[in-house]
Amino acid sequence: MIDLNIEKTLGFISKEKVFAYEAQAKAAQEALENGTGKGNDFLGWLHLPSSISKEHLAELKATAQTLRENCEVVVVAGIGGSYLGARAVIEALSDSFTWLRDKKTAPVILYAGHNIGEDYLYELTRYLADKKFGVINISKSGTTTETALAFRLLKKQCEDQRGKDVAKQVIVAITDAKKGAARVTADNEGYKSFIIPDNVGGRFSVLTPVGLLPIAVAGFDIDKLVAGAAAMEKACGKDVPFVQNPAAIYAATRNELYKNGKKIEILVNFNPKLHYVSEWWKQLYGESEGKEHKGIFPAAVDFSTDLHSMGQWIQEGERTICETVISVEKTNHKLEVPTDEQNLDGLNFLAGKRVDEVNKMAELGTQLAHVDGGVPNIRIVIPALNEESIGGLLYFFEKACGISGYILGVNPFDQPGVEAYKKNMFALLNKPGYEEESKAIRARL
Ligand SMILES: O=P(O)(O)OC[C@H]1O[C@H](O)[C@H](O)[C@@H](O)[C@@H]1O
């Protein structure tokens, strides 16, 4: 379970004001439960953790096993919500150097379809040239250009390298039940496929096959991940009183901070493995709340790395920011600072201490400094980097996002703004059907 602490925001906003959101948070929770709010076609994530069946998990694990047995490398092709959840969990739980080890216990997971870098894709195809690789092609719409382009390359390479029959075994599609090019290809080629439910938007889909299959291929326990999320679903349930509901309190606090001029929320970690949890969080909150010219800008830093780059700005720059720190209570391994007789580096005052003790003092020192500098600080403690904790943390953020978006007054479940660049790109590339737009955009150049 997580521990949420808002004490260090209270010099900037008052507890009374935060607690005054109780009625709004309750109304938001009810709108989510009853499906009466904006975007109510996309509430499938709300009770997803508690509704995932053992059979579904077993099917995912069986497919993961096929990929694990037949692949040295598995490429996850997807963008946005179709890759960030999987990557967030895999990187949070993986040994940082596992990809460099000769002996591997699971296929190396690589990512594609989240950029259009020609060199990136060239180098990926080169790396895969002598590898037994498979592909998980993930796209809810089934038509996202970045992903489709990468998949076209990977599909051809996989078939050329491994033959059509093996390719059929090691290519898996995760997409809509009926529509989209990814569905057509999967059905035509006879790929194993999983469905992304209609009522679960991409950024809320980590606990569907979108996240669960790659996570299982990487060797992590999806039963425990889902169990952690289900426990959090309960802890943030509609009947939990406001003061005890971490999702409601977080949603209320960030809305009150926003009202008081804190336009940017920086998600902070003191553990490099959480980098992609922040990337996932940025999409979740950015796409959900950034509309109608409103919404906190979600940013992220990795400390202490970024204390030596962004630390100055955070300490003394424009006072429009607040921080939310994810702190991991216990490390998974133990490492002590050794004693050195000569003590040339002057570090003997740390000798015998755990490295994590030093990290925790960096964290505490940073919190106090930033609060002194005018940055309100929310702290979220998770017990450890394991499946249960991460599952719980992700669901907590999803639930809080739904409540927070409704308090803000926007539809947290659509993303109309994302289409603007796509329309221009298609017009510039002369995509059939965009003839008028092509003419209009060329006239502007
Ligand atoms: O899964 P897909 O349909 O390929 O979509 C992938 C991503 O791109 C879209 O443009 C949306 O902005 C995201 O919300 C989505 O997660």
Side-chain angles (χ1 to χ4, degrees), residues 93-141:
L93 299 179
S94 292
D95 180 308
S96 308
F97 301 98
T98 205
W99 57 288
L100 288 173
R101 286 188 210 290
D102 292 334
K103 270 204 178 142
K104 301 204 171 57
T105 53
V108 172
I109 309 290
L110 298 178
Y111 301 88
H114 58 300
N115 64 50
I116 325 176
E118 185 161 341
D119 287 342
Y120 182 91
L121 287 167
Y122 176 85
E123 287 157 12
L124 176 66
T125 52
R126 279 281 300 274
Y127 173 76
L128 295 172
D130 59 352
K131 304 284 184 304
K132 286 188 197 156
F133 76 94
V135 187
I136 307 177
N137 184 33
I138 310 177
S139 179
K140 184 168 186 212
S141 63

Side-chain angles (χ1 to χ4, degrees), residues 1-2 46-54 56-57 60-61 89 93 206-208 212 215 220-236 383 386-396:
M1 229 11 74
I2 63 165
L46 189 63
H47 294 298
L48 185 62
S50 60
S51 59
I52 297 173
S53 70
K54 281 212 166 74
H56 182 56
L57 290 170
L60 285 162
K61 284 185 272 185
V89 176
L93 299 179
V206 58
L207 297 171
T208 72
L212 296 178
I215 292 165
F220 300 110
D221 190 329
I222 55 175
D223 296 14
K224 286 186 180 163
L225 187 82
V226 170
M232 187 60 70
E233 182 188 326
K234 245 192 178 165
C236 301
N386 57 36
E387 285 90 339
E388 285 97 336
S389 286
I390 296 294
L393 182 69
L394 298 183
Y395 184 84
F396 157 77

Side-chain angles (χ1 to χ4, degrees), residues 78-83 138-147 174 196 201-203 205 210 283 287 415 418-419 421-422:
I79 193 167
S82 290
Y83 98 106
I138 310 177
S139 179
K140 184 168 186 212
S141 63
T143 54
T144 300
T145 312
E146 288 85 346
T147 305
I174 304 177
I196 308 174
R203 59 187 174 275
S205 71
V210 170
Q283 184 196 2
E287 273 197 343
Q415 56 284 328
V418 182
E419 296 310 310
Y421 100 88
K422 292 185 193 169

Side-chain angles (χ1 to χ4, degrees), residues 140-142 175-184 198:
K140 184 168 186 212
S141 63
T175 186
D176 187 84
K178 293 195 191 82
K179 53 180 201 302
R183 168 54 57 200
V184 175
D198 273 347

Side-chain angles (χ1 to χ4, degrees), residues 41-327:
D41 294 355
F42 289 97
L43 296 172
W45 57 272
L46 189 63
H47 294 298
L48 185 62
S50 60
S51 59
I52 297 173
S53 70
K54 281 212 166 74
E55 294 70 37
H56 182 56
L57 290 170
E59 194 190 353
L60 285 162
K61 284 185 272 185
T63 305
Q65 194 52 31
T66 305
L67 290 172
R68 287 167 63 84
E69 280 165 12
N70 293 289
C71 303
E72 297 163 88
V73 178
V74 170
V75 184
V76 174
I79 193 167
S82 290
Y83 98 106
L84 282 169
R87 192 164 194 177
V89 176
I90 291 169
E91 302 222 349
L93 299 179
S94 292
D95 180 308
S96 308
F97 301 98
T98 205
W99 57 288
L100 288 173
R101 286 188 210 290
D102 292 334
K103 270 204 178 142
K104 301 204 171 57
T105 53
V108 172
I109 309 290
L110 298 178
Y111 301 88
H114 58 300
N115 64 50
I116 325 176
E118 185 161 341
D119 287 342
Y120 182 91
L121 287 167
Y122 176 85
E123 287 157 12
L124 176 66
T125 52
R126 279 281 300 274
Y127 173 76
L128 295 172
D130 59 352
K131 304 284 184 304
K132 286 188 197 156
F133 76 94
V135 187
I136 307 177
N137 184 33
I138 310 177
S139 179
K140 184 168 186 212
S141 63
T143 54
T144 300
T145 312
E146 288 85 346
T147 305
L149 198 156
F151 183 64
R152 178 181 274 224
L153 287 164
L154 293 167
K155 173 180 186 285
K156 182 176 184 313
Q157 185 174 355
C158 190
E159 287 170 352
D160 290 350
Q161 246 167 259
R162 308 195 68 182
K164 266 226 158 203
D165 286 344
V166 177
K168 250 182 217 176
Q169 278 193 331
V170 296
I171 297 179
V172 178
I174 304 177
T175 186
D176 187 84
K178 293 195 191 82
K179 53 180 201 302
R183 168 54 57 200
V184 175
T185 309
D187 289 349
N188 268 12
E189 300 285 1
Y191 298 148
K192 171 79 188 160
S193 70
F194 290 92
I195 291 167
I196 308 174
D198 273 347
N199 62 356
V200 180
R203 59 187 174 275
F204 289 86
S205 71
V206 58
L207 297 171
T208 72
V210 170
L212 296 178
L213 182 65
I215 292 165
V217 173
F220 300 110
D221 190 329
I222 55 175
D223 296 14
K224 286 186 180 163
L225 187 82
V226 170
M232 187 60 70
E233 182 188 326
K234 245 192 178 165
C236 301
K238 73 167 180 1
D239 297 326
V240 178
F242 177 75
V243 283
Q244 286 161 29
N245 184 333
I249 297 283
Y250 176 58
T253 308
R254 59 197 301 285
N255 271 281
E256 182 58 13
L257 286 165
Y258 181 56
K259 232 184 177 174
N260 284 270
K262 304 304 175 192
K263 306 284 187 195
I264 301 164
E265 179 181 1
I266 306 176
L267 194 71
V268 176
N269 67 67
F270 280 81
N271 190 317
K273 293 187 187 194
L274 289 173
H275 177 83
Y276 271 92
V277 167
S278 297
E279 294 302 308
W280 171 86
W281 174 89
K282 275 159 55 181
Q283 184 196 2
L284 182 66
Y285 280 81
E287 273 197 343
S288 298
E289 295 196 318
K291 47 200 70 159
E292 298 175 31
H293 295 173
K294 293 197 276 193
I296 292 179
F297 182 83
V301 290
D302 301 320
F303 286 167
S304 50
T305 313
D306 294 332
L307 280 173
H308 298 261
S309 57
M310 293 302 290
Q312 170 61 35
W313 199 103
I314 295 170
Q315 189 69 43
E316 296 183 347
E318 193 178 28
R319 301 298 72 185
T320 45
I321 55 172
C322 58
E323 284 181 318
T324 296
V325 178
I326 303 177
S327 181

